[in-house]
Amino acid sequence: MASFITVQLKKTSEVDLAKPLCKFIQQTYPGGESQAEHCRAAEELSKLRKSALGRSLDKHESSLETLLRYYDQLCSIEPKFPFSENQICVTFTWKDAFDKGSLFGGSVKLALASLGYEKTCVLFNCGALASQIASEQNLDSDEGMKAAAKYYQFASGAFQHIKDTVLSSLNREPTVDISPDTVGTLSLIMLAQGQEVFFLKATRDKMKDAIIAKLANQAADYYGDAFKQCQYKDTLPKYFYFQEVFPLLAAKHCIMQAHTEYHQSVLAKQQKKFGEEIARLQHAADLVKTVTSRYDEYINVKDLSDKINRALTAAKKDNDFIYHDRVPDLKDLEPIGKVSLVKATPMTIPLSQKFTDLFEKMVPMAIQQALAVYNQRKADLVNRSIGQMREATNLANGVLASLNLPAAIEDVSGDSIPQSILQKSKSVIEQGGVEAIDQLMKDLPELLQRNREILDESLRILDEEEATDNELKNKFKERWQRTSSNDLYKSLRAGS
């Protein structure tokens, strides 16, 4: 029954990555050893693409490693090179993996100037090759089973990642092979096959029937979900690849259910539930008959059928002659549990264990742009600060000029006292020194009082004169032609 579904690889046209990348490097980075090193890396990348996609790949881990290295490198250069129609315009052309074309035309293909499209198609090939490598493993050995389970889970993760990202990566409708419906179904199929490998290992290791039944039931569930997706998604029933896959998925679903019922019947026998044993074996036999009648050309179940029929015949014979246990209806049987030992491998970069970034020393575009913005803002801030400093310097120079500084300072060295200061000091000393200055300051209050008395007497005289002038003016009226005292002494009063 070791019949597994594999996925075909997509085919692509040859692309020269070195030329456009080198052109961008020469325009963006200064000349010298750094530029030459980046150009050599671009040539290595072009060679890596040719090695990964330009030849037929063996179903071997080394071929998958080459694909993974190229995918990792694409993820690495994405933030460092602006791939777009307006900047680095590289058109990637890929054919639909499953469309075999028509009598009058070639197969469906899509050409896009998008690095995201290239990444999606390369990851699809990684998953497809992983499914092929898994199908080639020797399931008679523990190492082969372990490798097969690992590759099926990796393939499931790759297809699931494409399902989650393809529409945002392409910004347009993809070919059917990488559409979310298709890769979602492929992811389920790979998961089902990985679960089936664990079921086969449990069977080979003769684990408990209860565990084997749960493993088989989960595998049947995965196959059933995949078959339903193929049936009910709008595009898939008409799709050539899934027309071939339909029967195998349906057969695998029935077969894993038959295994579930068979191992659960063994458990029922151990628990002395002989009626349940017969009911489950009968259901298993019916499932195998369905596979034989509908899908015999796709899968051979003779060994399984013989094993179930032998067990059913023996169980009926024992029950008829010894136990006489009632055989329950199928709907009355307790549901069988499920145990999943597989999960889609997350696509964590780098995928390759031997990955070395060819452009490790190249600064990503986002950082270059951030650095340019930083330098511009720094220049603006420095220029603004310099302008403020110049304004402050001009203001200080103006204040100094108004104070006749520093011209008024005779000695700015600070080493000795200027000669003019010494002469003035000598003159003060000759005229009595500090004592004379102190005496003059002590005499100031008395002199102030004397001055106030003189000022008050002067004001009194002015008042008397003004009163006399007013009396005479009232007496002689228009005959009194003298200037009035108020106008004549106004300036004196204001000064007082």
Side-chain angles (χ1 to χ4, degrees):
M1 197 200 68
S3 178
F4 291 96
I5 297 168
T6 60
V7 182
Q8 301 172 35
L9 274 67
K10 289 173 71 67
K11 294 182 180 179
T12 183
S13 302
E14 186 174 345
V15 173
D16 182 11
L17 289 173
K19 187 175 181 181
L21 292 184
C22 286
K23 182 179 179 181
F24 173 79
I25 291 168
Q26 291 165 358
Q27 292 173 347
T28 307
Y29 294 90
E33 182 59 30
S34 176
Q35 184 186 94
E37 184 177 349
H38 293 333
C39 286
R40 286 194 296 269
E43 292 172 358
E44 286 298 318
L45 176 62
S46 190
K47 292 178 183 177
L48 180 59
R49 185 183 195 274
K50 189 172 183 180
S51 176
L53 306 174
R55 61 186 178 88
S56 297
L57 296 177
D58 298 329
K59 298 176 184 179
H60 192 269
E61 187 176 358
S62 60
S63 299
L64 180 60
E65 183 67 27
T66 303
L67 269 177
L68 295 177
R69 280 177 49 221
Y70 179 56
Y71 179 79
D72 288 337
Q73 193 61 65
L74 291 177
C75 294
S76 172
I77 67 171
E78 192 169 22
K80 299 179 181 180
F81 291 97
F83 281 87
S84 68
E85 293 182 357
N86 301 325
Q87 297 185 50
I88 301 179
C89 185
V90 180
T91 301
F92 300 101
T93 304
W94 287 83
K95 294 181 180 179
D96 187 313
F98 309 127
D99 187 274
K100 297 185 177 180
S102 65
L103 184 62
F104 303 103
S107 59
V108 176
K109 60 184 178 181
L110 177 63
L112 288 178
S114 165
L115 190 66
Y117 177 52
E118 174 84 346
K119 283 172 54 184
T120 298
C121 295
V122 172
L123 186 58
F124 181 93
N125 275 9
C126 292
L129 186 58
S131 75
Q132 295 177 15
I133 295 173
S135 69
E136 293 292 315
Q137 299 301 312
N138 178 14
L139 299 184
D140 292 329
S141 68
D142 287 343
E143 293 78 11
M145 285 189 165
K146 183 178 179 181
K150 181 184 78 168
Y151 286 123
Y152 280 133
Q153 290 176 89
F154 174 84
S156 178
F159 294 132
Q160 183 62 42
H161 185 77
I162 295 172
K163 177 186 177 182
D164 297 337
T165 61
V166 63
L167 295 181
S168 59
S169 297
L170 270 61
N171 294 319
R172 60 150 293 161
E173 194 68 25
T175 50
V176 183
D177 57 343
I178 57 173
S179 68
D181 287 349
T182 304
V183 290
T185 304
L186 290 175
S187 178
L188 260 178
I189 293 172
M190 296 301 116
L191 214 56
Q193 295 186 154
Q195 180 75 12
E196 184 181 348
V197 170
F198 280 110
F199 157 75
L200 292 174
K201 178 167 175 38
T203 304
R204 192 170 72 90
D205 292 348
K206 297 181 180 179
M207 298 179 71
K208 293 181 179 179
D209 289 284
I211 296 174
I212 297 174
K214 291 177 180 179
L215 291 173
N217 200 24
Q218 183 62 69
D221 214 32
Y222 283 141
Y223 278 120
D225 290 343
F227 180 72
K228 288 174 186 176
Q229 286 210 17
C230 292
Q231 276 187 314
Y232 299 121
K233 294 295 183 181
D234 293 338
T235 55
L236 299 190
K238 303 174 185 177
Y239 197 38
F240 184 85
Y241 176 71
F242 285 109
Q243 289 176 2
E244 296 179 337
V245 170
F246 280 169
L248 199 52
L249 289 177
K252 284 292 190 82
H253 175 61
C254 292
I255 291 167
M256 297 313 296
Q257 280 187 315
H259 277 294
T260 303
E261 296 293 353
Y262 173 78
H263 287 281
Q264 194 68 21
S265 76
V266 176
L267 183 63
K269 182 177 181 180
Q270 293 169 357
Q271 297 172 348
K272 302 188 183 303
K273 298 177 180 179
F274 304 108
E276 179 182 341
E277 177 193 9
I278 294 171
R280 293 195 181 280
L281 286 171
Q282 185 62 60
H283 186 212
D286 293 340
L287 289 168
V288 172
K289 285 179 183 177
T290 301
V291 175
T292 303
S293 62
R294 297 182 183 178
Y295 313 113
D296 189 48
E297 62 180 298
Y298 298 98
I299 194 164
N300 185 358
V301 290
K302 186 177 185 305
D303 292 342
L304 176 62
S305 178
D306 291 344
K307 182 171 71 171
I308 292 172
N309 287 327
R310 282 196 303 270
L312 179 59
T313 301
K316 283 182 176 180
K317 182 178 179 181
D318 290 345
N319 193 54
D320 289 342
F321 287 98
I322 304 172
Y323 308 115
H324 304 290
D325 196 10
R326 186 184 69 85
V327 179
D329 291 336
L330 189 62
K331 64 178 184 300
D332 295 331
L333 297 176
E334 290 185 8
I336 303 170
K338 301 171 186 175
V339 173
S340 176
L341 295 183
V342 293
K343 64 177 182 178
T345 303
M347 295 294 103
T348 305
I349 304 302
L351 299 177
S352 170
Q353 298 178 353
K354 301 177 181 178
F355 172 66
T356 303
D357 188 359
L358 296 173
F359 299 90
E360 183 178 8
K361 296 181 180 179
M362 180 178 285
V363 180
M365 290 296 297
I367 296 178
Q368 292 184 47
Q369 293 168 358
L371 183 61
V373 171
Y374 164 77
N375 288 332
Q376 182 61 44
R377 289 182 180 177
K378 182 179 73 172
D380 293 342
L381 180 61
V382 170
N383 292 335
R384 188 160 57 250
S385 299
I386 290 173
Q388 294 172 349
M389 291 172 61
R390 286 175 177 168
E391 290 178 4
T393 300
N394 292 335
L395 177 62
N397 289 338
V399 172
L400 290 174
S402 68
L403 299 174
N404 195 28
L405 294 175
I409 300 177
E410 296 180 20
D411 186 355
V412 294
S413 66
D415 296 333
S416 61
I417 300 174
Q419 189 64 33
S420 61
I421 299 296
L422 293 174
Q423 290 176 356
K424 291 173 184 177
S425 175
K426 183 178 179 182
S427 175
V428 170
I429 293 171
E430 289 175 350
Q431 296 179 25
V434 177
E435 292 80 3
I437 294 173
D438 288 341
Q439 187 58 45
L440 288 174
M441 293 181 68
K442 289 177 182 178
D443 293 342
L444 281 177
E446 184 180 348
L447 293 175
L448 175 62
Q449 184 61 32
R450 179 59 185 158
N451 286 336
R452 282 177 176 170
E453 292 173 355
I454 294 172
L455 181 60
D456 291 342
E457 180 63 21
S458 299
L459 291 173
R460 187 188 64 77
I461 294 172
L462 288 175
D463 291 340
E464 289 180 357
E465 197 279 334
E466 184 176 358
T468 303
D469 182 64
N470 290 335
E471 288 178 3
L472 292 173
K473 188 174 182 180
N474 292 333
K475 182 178 179 179
F476 295 104
K477 296 187 183 303
E478 63 272 358
R479 286 182 294 168
W480 189 260
Q481 299 295 326
R482 292 177 59 185
T483 305
S484 64
S485 294
N486 186 36
D487 294 336
L488 190 62
Y489 305 123
K490 191 174 184 180
S491 60
L492 294 176
R493 288 182 180 277
S496 66

